[in-house]
Amino acid sequence: MIRVEGLTKDYGARRAISNLNFEAKQGEIVGFLGPNGAGKTTTMRILTGYMPPTDGSALVAGFDVVDESLEVRKRVGYLPETVPLYTDMTAYDYLKFMADLRQIPDSSERADEALEMVGMESRANSFISSLSKGMRQRIGLAQALIHRPEVLILDEPTIGLDPGQVVEVRKLIREIGKERTVLLSTHILSEAQQICDRVLIINKGKIVAEDTPENLQSRLVGSERVALRVRGESDGLSKIITKVKGVQSVHSAPDGSIEFQFAPGQDVRPEVAKAVVNAGYDLLELRPVGMSLEEIFLELTREDNRRK
Amino acid sequence: MRNIWTIARREYNHFFTSPIAYVVAFAILLIVGAIFALVILDASNNAFSGFGSTAPSISAVVWWFNFMIILSTPALTMRLISEEHRMGTVELLLTAPVRDWELVIGKWLGGFLFMLTIIAVTLIYPFILNSLETPGIDQGQMMSAYLGLILLSAALLGLGVGISSLFNNQIAAFFATLAVFIFLTWIVSFISQIAPGGKDLFSYLSMNTHFDSLNSGTINLTDIVYFLSLTALGLFTGATAVEVRRWS
């Protein structure tokens, strides 16, 4: 469980995050989404007890991050953005050290267990300096999981992994997120869409939106969008569609199809289809297009910038 | 306490995989060994040429050992905390359930155990000397001298850890530490010799005064208190620096 109230952090005169409020419940995966420098890492560092906030409070696993920092740290697994590894140790020794540091009684078994969880048991005795970036990332993740924490905080957990590993790690996070609280940051929006139950969009130290990925999408889309494809060249098609009554805007998509928008509830698809066929084109496809999280994100951060 | 031990053990093992530690150990043992050989050679020459036959004492060897520890400790301590910042592993240690002072003491203890290992290796010299001389060397003086070495190492490593925690850069940490050591030993001694007033104060502040006293075989409480205070000062500086950095 994470509860953040009025969290603010200043670095000298610069305000990194200002008055953040949010909550993450047990069994929930919350995604922290934002451009670089938005304050994601700062927030995570406060929640893990690495640094205290300037103002506001945060409760993690039922303990205050400032007053009961050690209790918080016992219950949180943290994977920082730059994976903190001792490259002169073997993977196994490193994990055993972390288990000892967390005062786990059966530290050797736990180190083995954590290696297995991230699929690295075959490299247990390799020096970390000899491991690839993706493997190091997985060792970092193993370190965050070794004490079976109630709360898992992951800063860009899939960065640097190859596609197969990304799928694996996402599966692992979803698995963990069933029983525990997971807060992860990412700037890959499709990732947030895939694994998060809820998304917080943060820009310039402020939360600009908070909802499920689906709700965010429907909330922001003020109009419906349809992609249309015909056989052969589609020159001149835009003009024809623009003339249809009710169509708000038309533009060509990079894949050769044409997208048009209309107000919700005023379905103009039959009219558009008729117009296209009457003009002598072979209509192949008429497909609704959802607004991607990328676009929602750009839309939100643009609005936020305009307001200033 | 367990956290201190976990950190110290990792640090101690790290010394045995680090080239710097081997170079430091090699340099200390080489110089101390060479001095020992020269001391023996000199004594036997003197004895043969009839210039009296004062049996060689271990204190000359120990004095050079002290000199080598002062020069090489900065190389051992420079990376203790600054490297954690450079590698980002400090984030790991500061978000683990470990108190800041446990971290700093653990780091210090790792270095101290490594230095004790080197000191233990050199115990071979008094043993050799003891077998060469009749009726053997002054064992009380030898133990006092080794106590001096141990206390000196503790103090220097403590100060080194404290200074290392103030820097992100190892080279900066190295030179700052070395400068502080040289100041506390030779510069303060020099001031105490030429200063018009406050001789006692400067003499008390000098590490040399206290080490020489122990090396000559007298164990005074003031000397022990002096070295332990410096150790505590260094560790306190380190713990404070780690905590201050959290806030910045």
Side-chain angles (χ1 to χ4, degrees):
Chain A
M1 188 276 303
I2 300 173
R3 188 184 300 141
V4 169
E5 277 168 16
L7 208 64
T8 301
K9 175 77 187 176
D10 294 335
Y11 293 115
R14 195 174 70 81
R15 179 149 287 191
I17 54 171
S18 97
N19 197 22
L20 291 193
N21 294 289
F22 67 88
E23 233 185 275
K25 288 181 213 74
Q26 196 185 344
E28 193 176 32
I29 303 178
V30 174
F32 224 6
L33 212 65
N36 293 328
K40 291 173 291 182
T41 300
T42 300
T43 310
M44 292 186 153
R45 282 181 165 177
I46 293 170
L47 294 179
T48 52
Y50 179 75
M51 52 159 82
T54 310
D55 205 2
S57 69
L59 225 57
V60 176
F63 294 93
D64 186 272
V65 290
V66 178
D67 297 334
E68 296 154 309
S69 177
L70 282 184
E71 295 303 316
V72 168
R73 288 188 243 161
K74 275 181 202 163
R75 291 166 176 82
V76 173
Y78 176 39
L79 175 65
E81 199 175 3
T82 41
V83 186
L85 299 170
Y86 292 107
T87 48
D88 60 300
M89 294 176 105
T90 65
Y92 171 81
D93 285 343
Y94 168 76
L95 290 173
K96 185 164 181 321
F97 169 68
M98 287 313 297
D100 285 335
L101 211 53
R102 296 195 168 276
Q103 312 215 342
I104 296 169
D106 44 353
S107 57
S108 345
E109 287 97 77
R110 282 293 188 85
D112 286 326
E113 180 194 290
L115 279 168
E116 209 181 292
M117 226 187 301
V118 295
M120 288 289 294
E121 59 271 42
S122 63
R123 302 299 297 269
N125 294 316
S126 302
F127 281 98
I128 292 177
S129 56
S130 73
L131 299 179
S132 71
K133 192 160 190 284
M135 291 176 175
R136 289 180 187 206
Q137 189 78 21
R138 283 194 274 167
I139 298 293
L141 195 60
Q143 163 275 126
L145 294 171
I146 199 157
H147 52 299
R148 299 175 185 152
E150 286 171 43
V151 176
L152 199 59
I153 294 181
L154 310 169
D155 204 347
E156 307 269 0
T158 56
I159 209 161
L161 299 178
D162 64 43
Q165 294 165 343
V166 168
V167 173
E168 282 295 309
V169 168
R170 284 181 188 162
K171 210 173 94 188
L172 187 65
I173 294 172
R174 260 201 307 265
E175 201 59 43
I176 296 160
K178 278 180 193 159
E179 295 150 30
R180 292 167 232 188
T181 314
V182 180
L183 177 68
L184 64 90
S185 80
T186 178
H187 58 252
I188 308 163
L189 300 136
S190 61
E191 180 164 286
Q193 221 157 5
Q194 279 177 40
I195 44 180
C196 299
D197 302 314
R198 216 144 44 81
V199 178
L200 302 172
I201 297 183
I202 178 170
N203 188 40
K204 292 185 175 172
K206 285 183 180 147
I207 292 176
V208 291
E210 175 185 354
D211 218 327
T212 61
E214 296 76 30
N215 283 354
L216 269 182
Q217 208 163 334
S218 57
R219 200 175 91 191
L220 275 148
V221 180
S223 54
E224 287 194 50
R225 201 144 50 128
V226 173
L228 174 148
R229 191 191 290 276
V230 295
R231 193 197 300 278
E233 292 297 307
S234 57
D235 299 343
L237 202 56
S238 298
K239 265 185 206 154
I240 294 163
I241 298 170
T242 313
K243 278 181 202 150
V244 177
K245 206 176 161 218
V247 172
Q248 289 174 332
S249 70
V250 180
H251 69 273
S252 315
D255 64 348
S257 65
I258 290 188
E259 287 181 10
F260 61 93
Q261 288 182 4
F262 53 89
Q266 302 180 353
D267 201 342
V268 294
R269 276 178 289 183
E271 286 76 23
V272 171
K274 252 176 247 161
V276 170
V277 172
N278 287 343
Y281 292 94
D282 293 339
L283 182 59
L284 294 179
E285 189 186 13
L286 209 53
R287 155 175 64 89
V289 184
M291 198 173 180
S292 74
L293 213 43
E294 264 92 354
E295 289 164 291
I296 296 173
F297 179 72
L298 284 176
E299 192 59 41
L300 278 169
T301 50
R302 203 184 304 134
E303 272 171 28
D304 190 49
N305 291 346
R306 220 180 288 141
R307 237 179 280 145
K308 287 217 181 83
Chain B
M1 282 312 273
R2 248 185 79 186
N3 289 333
I4 295 177
W5 181 240
T6 304
I7 291 167
R9 202 177 43 197
R10 198 204 88 77
E11 217 48 64
Y12 183 73
N13 290 334
H14 177 88
F15 280 122
F16 289 96
T17 60
S18 132
I20 290 178
Y22 278 107
V23 169
V24 165
F26 179 75
I28 292 179
L29 294 173
L30 181 75
I31 299 288
V32 173
I35 297 292
F36 178 71
L38 289 173
V39 164
I40 303 263
L41 203 64
D42 183 44
S44 66
N45 276 347
N46 283 349
F48 278 118
S49 51
F51 288 119
S53 55
T54 18
S57 128
I58 199 69
S59 66
V61 177
V62 169
W63 191 89
W64 279 96
F65 197 179
N66 147 56
F67 178 76
M68 286 308 293
I69 290 178
I70 291 169
L71 286 192
S72 51
T73 303
L76 294 181
T77 57
M78 65 178 185
R79 45 158 287 282
L80 281 177
I81 299 204
S82 58
E83 194 172 61
E84 303 279 353
H85 280 279
R86 192 182 59 78
M87 296 203 306
T89 42
V90 70
E91 231 172 315
L92 201 70
L93 296 173
L94 295 188
T95 58
V98 177
R99 292 175 183 86
D100 294 351
W101 57 265
E102 288 178 325
L103 167 65
V104 172
I105 293 179
K107 289 275 175 188
W108 168 82
L109 186 59
F112 185 53
L113 291 175
F114 182 74
M115 197 52 103
L116 285 185
T117 310
I118 297 178
I119 291 175
V121 172
T122 69
L123 277 174
I124 190 169
Y125 300 129
F127 278 115
I128 294 175
L129 208 56
N130 195 37
S131 65
L132 288 178
E133 290 176 18
T134 24
I137 56 166
D138 181 346
Q139 301 207 345
Q141 189 240 322
M142 177 231 146
M143 280 198 263
S144 169
Y146 266 81
L147 177 67
L149 285 174
I150 292 169
L151 287 170
L152 176 86
S153 306
L156 294 181
L157 286 160
L159 290 172
V161 170
I163 296 166
S164 162
S165 67
L166 302 171
F167 290 92
N168 278 340
N169 183 301
Q170 299 191 15
I171 306 296
F174 176 86
F175 281 105
T177 311
L178 191 61
V180 169
F181 288 1
I182 290 176
F183 183 83
L184 275 177
T185 49
W186 296 296
I187 303 216
V188 176
S189 287
F190 190 54
I191 294 173
S192 77
Q193 282 161 27
I194 60 162
K199 254 189 186 52
D200 290 345
L201 175 70
F202 286 113
S203 166
Y204 179 79
L205 286 178
S206 164
M207 240 185 237
N208 279 353
T209 316
H210 301 280
F211 185 77
D212 290 343
S213 159
L214 282 161
N215 194 15
S216 67
T218 41
I219 301 179
N220 288 319
L221 192 62
T222 43
D223 302 328
I224 297 174
V225 168
Y226 172 83
F227 284 118
L228 293 182
S229 319
L230 278 187
T231 313
L233 175 70
L235 295 178
F236 179 74
T237 307
T240 310
V242 170
E243 199 183 331
V244 165
R245 278 179 168 225
R246 282 183 190 270
W247 289 86
S248 57

